[in-house]
């Protein structure tokens, strides 16, 4: 949508005061600044009907000029994306400071996004989100930095996102199953070198403890949910699968109250290269 036409009616409407091109650039700049920070990930939310919000909060006489199929597709697919901060706060990935004409619409969109729930890790096979240009008309779009584009040849973006959703559910289950006291005890045992090949599990155990500690300091359920999604997005491969890792065997025995001799023997048996 170029600000002088739309995909439905192709009706020309000169509105230089709207600063539509500056609006497009402002969205790109906002996204570029946030996405180029180190180790950032994108997340989906349950914020819906964002394009309707966008149109409804424009001046009534201008709405038909911004009824655009390409922009609607972008806003409905990507408009609710967020970045998650270490403390669980979220920030809209797309919407920030824009020209005054669009500010009421964008403010309402941001408010809805900030009050939504994170639903998954966003992964893309494509570098460009949206259609920047159709014919001579410009539309809302952003470009992902290279580190945010999937390079997997084995799984597409939907499969990768589904894997992250599974990781999230598995991690939640492990947090509920293994209290932090058991994790602390496991780390103590692993650090004493009294368990066979204990170094293989120590990294996972300390990572799991760190997550326990982070969420224990958060009372807001939405922020706690966000911290867990961030942990899933950043986790090394396999770390979320606590119960099926060797650390899970150790934690099971600790939770069951087995004596150290039994714990050590069972751990050594499972860690043996002959297994």
């Amino acid at each position: 949508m170029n600000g002088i036409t739309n995909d439905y009616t192709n009706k020309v409407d000169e509105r230089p005061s709207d600063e539509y091109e500056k609006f497009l650039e402002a969205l790109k700049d906002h996204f570029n600044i946030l996405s180029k920070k180190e180790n950032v990930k994108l997340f989906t939310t349950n914020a819906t009907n964002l394009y309707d919000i966008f149109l409804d909060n424009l001046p009534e006489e201008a709405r038909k000029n911004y009824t655009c199929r390409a922009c609607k597709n972008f806003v409905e697919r990507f408009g609710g994306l967020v970045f998650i901060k270490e403390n669980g706060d979220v920030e809209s990935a797309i919407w920030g400071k824009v020209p005054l004409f669009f500010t009421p619409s964008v403010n309402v969109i941001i408010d809805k996004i900030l009050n939504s729930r994170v639903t998954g890790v966003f992964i893309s096979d494509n570098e460009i989100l949206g259609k920047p240009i159709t014919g001579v008309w410009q539309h809302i779009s952003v470009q992902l930095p290279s580190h945010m584009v999937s390079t997997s040849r084995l799984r597409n973006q939907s499969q990768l996102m589904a894997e992250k959703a599974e990781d999230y559910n598995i991690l939640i289950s492990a947090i509920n199953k293994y209290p932090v006291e058991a994790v602390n005890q496991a780390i103590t045992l692993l650090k004493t070198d009294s368990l066979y090949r204990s170094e293989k599990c120590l990294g996972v155990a300390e990572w799991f403890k760190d997550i326990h500690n982070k969420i224990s300091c958060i009372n807001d359920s939405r922020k706690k949910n966000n911290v867990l999604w961030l942990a899933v997005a950043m986790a090394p491969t396999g770390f979320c699968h606590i119960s099926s890792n060797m650390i899970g065997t150790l934690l099971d025995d600790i939770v069951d109250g087995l004596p150290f001799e039994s714990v050590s023997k069972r751990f050594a048996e499972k860690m043996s290269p002959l297994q």
Side-chain angles (χ1 to χ4, degrees):
M1 178 173 57
N2 180 271
I4 61 172
T5 189
N6 66 72
D7 288 353
Y8 292 124
T9 66
N10 202 38
K11 183 178 179 180
V12 174
D13 177 53
E14 295 288 353
R15 301 185 62 86
S17 62
D18 295 357
E19 298 185 296
Y20 180 70
E21 291 187 1
K22 290 184 178 180
F23 168 72
L24 294 181
E25 289 304 312
L27 299 185
K28 288 184 174 70
D29 289 344
H30 175 80
F31 180 81
N32 289 341
I33 290 171
L34 296 179
S35 65
K36 289 180 180 178
K37 293 180 180 179
E38 187 176 2
N39 294 326
V40 295
K41 303 290 184 181
L42 279 168
F43 299 86
T44 58
T45 66
N46 63 355
T48 58
N49 301 318
L50 297 183
Y51 195 69
D52 289 339
I53 292 174
F54 176 76
L55 290 180
D56 290 346
N57 287 277
L58 292 175
E60 185 173 357
E61 67 275 10
R63 292 171 190 169
K64 62 182 178 181
N65 301 314
Y66 291 95
T67 302
C68 166
R69 186 175 290 109
C71 290
K72 179 178 181 178
N73 288 340
F74 175 91
V75 173
E76 294 301 330
R77 291 183 63 191
F78 311 119
L81 294 177
V82 297
F83 294 106
I84 298 177
K85 301 178 182 179
E86 288 290 330
N87 65 355
D89 287 336
V90 298
E91 185 169 7
S92 171
I94 305 298
W95 312 98
K97 186 176 181 180
V98 295
L100 186 61
F101 180 82
F102 300 96
T103 297
S105 290
V106 169
N107 284 347
V108 178
I109 289 174
I110 291 174
D111 185 65
K112 179 157 188 177
I113 291 171
L114 295 184
N115 286 285
S116 66
R117 293 190 70 86
V118 172
T119 57
V121 181
F122 177 78
I123 298 171
S124 177
D125 297 329
N126 301 310
E127 185 177 8
I128 304 295
L129 302 184
K131 289 185 176 182
I133 297 176
T134 57
V136 297
W137 312 121
Q138 299 180 62
H139 308 286
I140 304 173
S141 67
V142 296
Q143 181 174 344
L144 297 174
S146 58
H147 70 269
M148 298 184 76
V149 181
S150 171
T151 57
S152 175
R153 296 184 178 182
L154 300 177
R155 295 179 294 280
N156 61 33
Q157 65 183 56
S158 296
Q159 292 169 322
L160 291 170
M161 289 172 67
E163 286 183 3
K164 291 298 184 182
E166 182 182 9
D167 285 348
Y168 173 81
N169 290 327
I170 290 172
L171 180 59
I172 289 287
S173 177
I175 287 172
N176 292 330
K177 184 178 181 181
Y178 304 122
V180 69
E181 294 79 11
V183 181
N184 286 332
Q185 188 175 345
I187 291 174
T188 298
L189 291 174
L190 291 168
K191 285 184 174 180
T192 61
D193 293 328
S194 57
L195 297 177
Y196 179 62
R197 301 178 74 191
S198 59
E199 73 282 356
K200 301 293 183 180
C201 295
L202 184 57
V204 180
E206 291 181 328
W207 175 84
F208 190 41
K209 175 186 176 180
D210 183 57
I211 294 173
H212 258 296
N213 289 340
K214 284 181 178 179
I215 63 174
S216 69
C217 300
I218 301 173
N219 294 321
D220 185 278
S221 63
R222 186 182 289 116
K223 287 187 178 182
K224 187 175 295 189
N225 174 69
N226 296 344
V227 167
L228 291 173
W229 274 116
L230 182 60
V232 167
M234 302 297 293
T237 301
F239 269 44
C240 293
H241 295 230
I242 300 296
S243 295
S244 58
N245 283 336
M246 276 309 305
I247 187 63
T249 297
L250 177 58
L251 288 169
D252 283 334
D253 290 346
I254 291 172
V255 170
D256 289 342
L258 297 184
F260 173 74
E261 292 76 14
S262 298
V263 171
S264 178
K265 180 180 179 181
R266 283 165 53 83
F267 189 82
E269 289 173 350
K270 293 290 182 67
M271 291 297 288
S272 172
L274 300 179
Q275 291 295 316

